[in-house]
Amino acid sequence: SPFRQLDVLVQMELKKTILDRMIHLLSKGYVVPVISYISKCIDQQDTDISLIRHFVMEVLDMVAPPYTESFIEMFLPMIENETITGTLRNPDGSDVVSEFIAQCRAS
């Protein structure tokens, strides 16, 4: 495919652009389809982890409690995945990832 012939950095930038469009869709209410798709990408391990981290951070920047039960059920496993968010957490829990997890557990 023509996509495979692109330079790796160009591919990553293109994928990030597509991901940003998906984040925009999520902000417009398409939460379940977007998070479902990203979950499949994680399960299939066919998406660079840096792109998944970008998605997670962008979503955390735009959401605020109270969270719906379905959102927590879909998004929390992504957030609790050490491979995805381990490098985004501080030992003292003063980061958006740890705060999100604490808010979900409190509800």
Side-chain angles (χ1 to χ4, degrees):
S1 79
F3 187 74
R4 294 194 192 283
Q5 295 172 358
L6 293 174
D7 178 72
V8 173
L9 293 175
V10 174
Q11 284 184 35
M12 285 293 282
E13 198 56 40
L14 183 60
K15 289 176 182 180
K16 186 175 175 285
T17 300
I18 293 167
L19 200 53
D20 286 338
R21 299 301 179 263
M22 293 181 76
I23 292 164
H24 176 73
L25 287 172
L26 187 136
S27 76
K28 296 299 180 189
Y30 295 92
V31 176
V32 172
V34 170
I35 294 183
S36 294
Y37 178 78
I38 298 299
S39 293
K40 284 180 195 160
C41 292
I42 293 168
D43 292 344
Q44 294 169 355
Q45 298 181 343
D46 64 357
T47 304
D48 190 281
I49 203 71
S50 67
L51 292 170
I52 303 295
R53 281 189 197 109
H54 171 72
F55 173 80
V56 163
M57 291 308 292
E58 291 295 315
V59 172
L60 287 175
D61 281 346
M62 83 168 71
V63 298
Y67 306 111
T68 64
E69 203 170 301
S70 62
F71 176 73
I72 292 172
E73 284 175 15
M74 295 181 75
F75 196 57
L76 190 59
M78 224 178 276
I79 297 298
E80 290 179 324
N81 185 327
E82 279 287 323
T83 306
I84 297 169
T85 61
T87 60
L88 304 173
R89 299 185 203 185
N90 297 327
D92 63 359
S94 64
D95 57 88
V96 293
V97 172
S98 299
E99 289 169 10
F100 177 83
I101 292 170
Q103 289 164 347
C104 290
R105 290 190 177 144
S107 61

